[in-house]
Protein backbone atom coordinates (compact mmCIF):
# COMPACT_ATOMS: atom_id res chain seq x y z
CA UNK A 1 0.00 0.00 0.00
CA UNK A 2 2.76 2.46 0.91
CA UNK A 3 4.58 1.59 -2.33
CA UNK A 4 1.48 2.42 -4.35
CA UNK A 5 1.10 5.70 -2.51
CA UNK A 6 4.71 6.56 -3.33
CA UNK A 7 4.11 5.77 -7.01
CA UNK A 8 0.97 7.92 -7.07
CA UNK A 9 2.80 10.80 -5.42
CA UNK A 10 5.72 10.58 -7.88
CA UNK A 11 3.39 10.44 -10.90
CA UNK A 12 1.47 13.47 -9.76
CA UNK A 13 4.67 15.35 -8.94
CA UNK A 14 5.85 14.91 -12.55
CA UNK A 15 3.31 17.61 -13.39
CA UNK A 16 4.68 20.10 -10.87
CA UNK A 17 5.77 23.57 -11.96
CA UNK A 18 9.06 23.46 -10.04
CA UNK A 19 11.92 21.89 -12.07
CA UNK A 20 13.48 20.63 -8.83
CA UNK A 21 10.31 18.74 -7.86
CA UNK A 22 10.03 17.24 -11.36
CA UNK A 23 13.69 16.14 -11.28
CA UNK A 24 13.28 14.56 -7.84
CA UNK A 25 10.10 12.80 -8.98
CA UNK A 26 11.83 11.39 -12.06
CA UNK A 27 14.68 10.08 -9.93
CA UNK A 28 12.36 8.51 -7.36
CA UNK A 29 10.07 6.98 -9.96
CA UNK A 30 13.04 5.57 -11.87
CA UNK A 31 14.30 3.94 -8.66
CA UNK A 32 10.85 2.46 -7.98
CA UNK A 33 10.60 1.01 -11.49
CA UNK A 34 14.08 -0.49 -11.17
CA UNK A 35 13.30 -2.02 -7.79
CA UNK A 36 10.09 -3.56 -9.12
CA UNK A 37 11.92 -4.86 -12.22
CA UNK A 38 8.69 -4.54 -14.19
CA UNK A 39 6.24 -2.00 -15.54
CA UNK A 40 4.01 -0.15 -13.12
CA UNK A 41 0.41 -1.39 -12.80
CA UNK A 42 -1.78 0.26 -15.46
CA UNK A 43 -4.72 0.75 -13.09
CA UNK A 44 -2.48 2.60 -10.66
CA UNK A 45 -1.04 4.78 -13.45
CA UNK A 46 -4.49 5.65 -14.78
CA UNK A 47 -5.60 6.76 -11.34
CA UNK A 48 -2.44 8.77 -10.74
CA UNK A 49 -2.42 10.48 -14.14
CA UNK A 50 -6.15 11.09 -14.53
CA UNK A 51 -5.90 14.86 -13.80
CA UNK A 52 -3.43 15.33 -16.67
CA UNK A 53 -5.04 12.94 -19.14
CA UNK A 54 -8.53 14.33 -18.55
CA UNK A 55 -7.38 17.69 -19.89
CA UNK A 56 -6.33 16.10 -23.18
CA UNK A 57 -9.92 15.38 -24.15
CA UNK A 58 -10.42 18.81 -25.77
CA UNK A 59 -7.94 20.79 -27.86
CA UNK A 60 -8.82 24.06 -26.15
CA UNK A 61 -7.60 22.67 -22.82
CA UNK A 62 -4.04 22.48 -24.12
CA UNK A 63 -1.61 24.92 -22.54
CA UNK A 64 2.20 25.07 -22.51
CA UNK A 65 2.17 24.09 -18.82
CA UNK A 66 -0.05 21.05 -19.44
CA UNK A 67 2.04 19.93 -22.41
CA UNK A 68 5.26 20.33 -20.44
CA UNK A 69 3.76 18.19 -17.68
CA UNK A 70 2.68 15.54 -20.16
CA UNK A 71 6.18 15.51 -21.66
CA UNK A 72 7.61 14.68 -18.21
CA UNK A 73 5.05 11.90 -17.79
CA UNK A 74 5.73 10.38 -21.22
CA UNK A 75 9.48 10.60 -20.76
CA UNK A 76 9.21 8.31 -17.73
CA UNK A 77 6.15 6.22 -18.56
CA UNK A 78 5.88 5.98 -22.37
CA UNK A 79 5.35 2.21 -22.25
CA UNK A 80 2.09 2.78 -20.40
CA UNK A 81 0.57 4.53 -23.44
CA UNK A 82 -0.61 3.18 -26.78
CA UNK A 83 -1.28 4.56 -30.26
CA UNK A 84 -4.58 6.09 -29.15
CA UNK A 85 -2.67 9.00 -27.61
CA UNK A 86 -0.83 9.66 -30.89
CA UNK A 87 -4.14 9.71 -32.76
CA UNK A 88 -5.62 12.15 -30.26
CA UNK A 89 -2.61 14.45 -30.45
CA UNK A 90 -2.82 14.45 -34.26
CA UNK A 91 -6.50 15.35 -34.06
CA UNK A 92 -5.63 18.28 -31.80
CA UNK A 93 -2.86 19.42 -34.15
CA UNK A 94 -5.29 19.49 -37.06
CA UNK A 95 -7.31 22.07 -35.13
CA UNK A 96 -4.27 24.37 -35.27
CA UNK A 97 -4.30 24.18 -39.08
CA UNK A 98 -7.44 26.36 -38.84
CA UNK A 99 -6.08 29.67 -37.49
CA UNK A 100 -9.42 31.50 -37.59
CA UNK A 101 -10.93 28.94 -35.21
CA UNK A 102 -7.96 28.96 -32.85
CA UNK A 103 -7.72 32.76 -32.75
CA UNK A 104 -11.46 33.11 -32.20
CA UNK A 105 -11.27 30.73 -29.21
CA UNK A 106 -9.08 33.33 -27.48
CA UNK A 107 -7.62 30.74 -25.13
CA UNK A 108 -3.98 31.56 -25.81
CA UNK A 109 -1.79 34.65 -25.86
CA UNK A 110 -2.01 36.40 -29.23
CA UNK A 111 0.77 35.21 -31.52
CA UNK A 112 1.77 32.39 -29.16
CA UNK A 113 -0.78 29.87 -30.45
CA UNK A 114 1.75 28.07 -32.73
CA UNK A 115 3.94 27.35 -29.71
CA UNK A 116 1.18 25.16 -28.30
CA UNK A 117 1.14 23.16 -31.53
CA UNK A 118 4.95 22.92 -31.44
CA UNK A 119 4.88 21.54 -27.90
CA UNK A 120 2.26 19.02 -29.01
CA UNK A 121 4.54 17.83 -31.82
CA UNK A 122 7.37 17.54 -29.28
CA UNK A 123 5.41 14.88 -27.37
CA UNK A 124 5.78 12.38 -30.23
CA UNK A 125 9.45 11.80 -29.46
CA UNK A 126 8.46 10.28 -26.11
CA UNK A 127 5.78 7.90 -27.41
CA UNK A 128 6.44 4.15 -27.89
CA UNK A 129 8.21 2.96 -31.10
CA UNK A 130 4.92 1.93 -32.70
CA UNK A 131 4.21 5.65 -33.19
CA UNK A 132 6.72 5.65 -36.08
CA UNK A 133 3.78 4.49 -38.21
CA UNK A 134 2.32 8.00 -37.77
CA UNK A 135 5.29 9.65 -39.50
CA UNK A 136 3.40 10.44 -42.69
CA UNK A 137 0.48 12.00 -40.81
CA UNK A 138 2.74 14.04 -38.55
CA UNK A 139 4.81 15.37 -41.46
CA UNK A 140 1.62 16.22 -43.37
CA UNK A 141 0.12 18.18 -40.48
CA UNK A 142 3.45 19.96 -39.92
CA UNK A 143 3.53 21.08 -43.53
CA UNK A 144 -0.04 22.33 -43.20
CA UNK A 145 0.82 24.18 -39.99
CA UNK A 146 3.73 25.89 -41.72
CA UNK A 147 1.52 26.89 -44.64
CA UNK A 148 -0.85 28.80 -42.32
CA UNK A 149 1.75 30.07 -39.84
CA UNK A 150 1.66 33.57 -41.33
CA UNK A 151 -2.01 33.87 -40.38
CA UNK A 152 -1.05 33.66 -36.70
CA UNK A 153 1.63 36.31 -37.17
CA UNK A 154 -0.17 39.33 -38.48
CA UNK A 155 -2.11 42.33 -37.25
CA UNK A 156 -5.47 41.17 -35.95
CA UNK A 157 -8.45 42.32 -33.95
CA UNK A 158 -8.13 42.07 -30.19
CA UNK A 159 -10.50 39.24 -29.17
CA UNK A 160 -11.33 41.14 -25.96
CA UNK A 161 -11.81 44.54 -27.59
CA UNK A 162 -12.78 44.49 -31.27
CA UNK A 163 -12.04 48.21 -31.61
CA UNK A 164 -8.32 47.54 -31.04
CA UNK A 165 -5.69 45.93 -33.23
CA UNK A 166 -2.94 43.63 -31.96
CA UNK A 167 0.34 43.33 -33.88
CA UNK A 168 1.76 39.82 -33.47
CA UNK A 169 3.83 39.71 -36.64
CA UNK A 170 6.88 38.38 -34.77
CA UNK A 171 9.68 36.61 -36.64
CA UNK A 172 9.38 34.27 -39.58
CA UNK A 173 10.94 31.08 -38.24
CA UNK A 174 8.94 27.89 -37.93
CA UNK A 175 8.62 26.58 -34.36
CA UNK A 176 7.55 23.15 -35.65
CA UNK A 177 10.74 21.86 -37.28
CA UNK A 178 12.87 21.28 -34.21
CA UNK A 179 10.30 19.14 -32.33
CA UNK A 180 9.47 17.25 -35.52
CA UNK A 181 13.17 16.55 -36.05
CA UNK A 182 13.53 15.25 -32.51
CA UNK A 183 10.86 12.69 -33.33
CA UNK A 184 12.26 11.80 -36.76
CA UNK A 185 15.79 11.42 -35.38
CA UNK A 186 14.61 8.48 -33.27
CA UNK A 187 13.81 6.63 -36.50
CA UNK A 188 16.57 7.68 -38.95
CA UNK A 189 16.21 4.75 -41.34
CA UNK A 190 12.44 5.13 -41.65
CA UNK A 191 12.84 8.91 -41.98
CA UNK A 192 15.34 8.68 -44.84
CA UNK A 193 13.25 6.04 -46.59
CA UNK A 194 10.19 8.27 -46.21
CA UNK A 195 11.71 11.46 -47.60
CA UNK A 196 13.74 9.76 -50.35
CA UNK A 197 10.71 8.25 -52.01
CA UNK A 198 10.52 9.65 -55.53
CA UNK A 199 7.13 11.29 -55.06
CA UNK A 200 8.52 13.26 -52.10
CA UNK A 201 11.88 14.12 -53.63
CA UNK A 202 10.07 15.90 -56.45
CA UNK A 203 7.46 17.44 -54.13
CA UNK A 204 8.66 20.96 -53.28
CA UNK A 205 7.18 21.27 -49.75
CA UNK A 206 8.50 17.85 -48.69
CA UNK A 207 11.91 18.48 -50.27
CA UNK A 208 12.29 21.92 -48.64
CA UNK A 209 11.24 20.55 -45.26
CA UNK A 210 13.75 17.69 -45.47
CA UNK A 211 16.53 20.07 -46.51
CA UNK A 212 15.76 22.23 -43.49
CA UNK A 213 15.54 19.26 -41.13
CA UNK A 214 18.92 17.74 -41.98
CA UNK A 215 20.63 21.06 -41.18
CA UNK A 216 19.38 21.06 -37.59
CA UNK A 217 21.65 19.91 -34.75
CA UNK A 218 19.01 17.37 -33.66
CA UNK A 219 19.23 15.60 -37.03
CA UNK A 220 22.63 13.98 -36.59
CA UNK A 221 21.29 10.41 -36.76
CA UNK A 222 19.41 11.31 -39.95
CA UNK A 223 22.55 12.77 -41.55
CA UNK A 224 24.47 9.63 -40.60
CA UNK A 225 21.82 7.48 -42.24
CA UNK A 226 21.92 9.66 -45.38
CA UNK A 227 25.61 8.91 -45.74
CA UNK A 228 25.08 5.16 -46.04
CA UNK A 229 25.50 3.51 -49.44
CA UNK A 230 21.88 2.36 -49.31
CA UNK A 231 20.60 5.93 -49.06
CA UNK A 232 22.97 7.08 -51.82
CA UNK A 233 21.71 4.34 -54.14
CA UNK A 234 18.13 5.31 -53.37
CA UNK A 235 18.77 8.92 -54.37
CA UNK A 236 20.47 7.87 -57.61
CA UNK A 237 17.72 5.42 -58.51
CA UNK A 238 14.91 7.85 -57.76
CA UNK A 239 16.43 10.95 -59.32
CA UNK A 240 18.43 9.74 -62.31
CA UNK A 241 17.20 6.32 -63.40
Amino acid sequence: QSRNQCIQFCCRSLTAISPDIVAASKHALGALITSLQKSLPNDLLKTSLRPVLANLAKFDNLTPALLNALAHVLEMLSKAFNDALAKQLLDHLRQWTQPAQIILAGQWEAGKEPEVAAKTIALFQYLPPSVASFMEDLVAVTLKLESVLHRYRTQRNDTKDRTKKVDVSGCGYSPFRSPLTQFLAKYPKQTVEFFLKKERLVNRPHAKLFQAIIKLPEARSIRDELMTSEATNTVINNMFL
Side-chain angles (χ1 to χ4, degrees):
Q1 182 66 29
S2 58
R3 182 194 66 189
N4 288 350
Q5 289 177 340
C6 286
I7 291 172
Q8 285 183 316
F9 179 76
C10 288
C11 287
R12 288 170 182 167
S13 297
L14 288 173
T15 65
I17 296 175
S18 167
D20 291 337
I21 293 176
V22 171
S25 300
K26 286 182 177 180
H27 180 76
L29 194 57
L32 282 167
I33 293 172
T34 301
S35 66
L36 289 172
Q37 296 184 334
K38 60 180 180 181
S39 300
L40 301 179
N42 277 341
D43 289 344
L44 180 59
L45 289 176
K46 287 178 182 178
T47 301
S48 304
L49 300 175
R50 186 172 288 120
V52 176
L53 300 180
N55 282 319
L56 286 178
K58 297 175 63 179
F59 77 90
D60 51 3
N61 285 336
L62 300 185
T63 64
L66 173 66
L67 293 167
N68 286 338
L70 185 56
H72 296 316
V73 169
L74 289 172
E75 190 177 359
M76 293 297 299
L77 303 168
S78 64
K79 292 180 180 179
F81 296 86
N82 55 35
D83 291 351
L85 178 56
K87 292 176 182 177
Q88 187 171 40
L89 293 176
L90 279 168
D91 285 342
H92 290 336
L93 283 169
R94 291 185 182 105
Q95 300 293 330
W96 260 260
T97 66
Q98 304 175 62
Q101 170 186 282
I102 295 296
I103 292 169
L104 186 62
Q107 295 288 100
W108 306 274
E109 183 181 347
K112 299 291 186 180
E113 299 95 342
E115 294 181 13
V116 177
K119 285 183 176 292
T120 304
I121 293 172
L123 296 178
F124 280 80
Q125 66 185 294
Y126 302 117
L127 293 173
S130 60
V131 80
S133 62
F134 292 92
M135 185 177 294
E136 182 172 2
D137 290 330
L138 187 58
V139 169
V141 78
T142 300
L143 286 170
K144 181 62 176 176
L145 285 166
E146 291 198 339
S147 74
V148 300
L149 182 58
H150 66 284
R151 293 171 60 187
Y152 286 108
R153 294 173 171 171
T154 186
Q155 194 176 75
R156 65 170 77 155
N157 289 324
D158 189 329
T159 55
K160 296 180 180 178
D161 185 349
R162 294 290 178 177
T163 64
K164 295 182 179 179
K165 293 283 187 180
V166 180
D167 186 2
V168 290
S169 53
C171 56
Y173 84 100
S174 166
F176 312 121
R177 293 181 180 181
S178 179
L180 175 65
T181 303
Q182 290 172 330
F183 163 71
L184 296 175
K186 290 187 65 177
Y187 313 101
K189 185 174 179 61
Q190 295 98 313
T191 296
V192 169
E193 289 176 351
F194 175 82
F195 280 101
L196 292 190
K197 286 186 179 296
K198 188 170 185 177
E199 62 268 26
R200 296 191 182 100
L201 282 172
V202 299
N203 178 278
R204 184 173 176 81
H206 279 91
K208 286 184 66 177
L209 178 63
F210 191 48
Q211 289 172 17
I213 283 172
I214 60 178
K215 295 176 184 177
L216 296 176
E218 302 94 330
R220 181 173 180 176
S221 64
I222 301 173
R223 291 193 294 271
D224 290 344
E225 181 63 30
L226 267 175
M227 294 174 67
T228 63
S229 58
E230 183 179 353
T232 301
N233 290 335
T234 299
V235 173
I236 293 173
N237 290 334
N238 287 343
M239 294 300 293
F240 302 106
L241 299 179

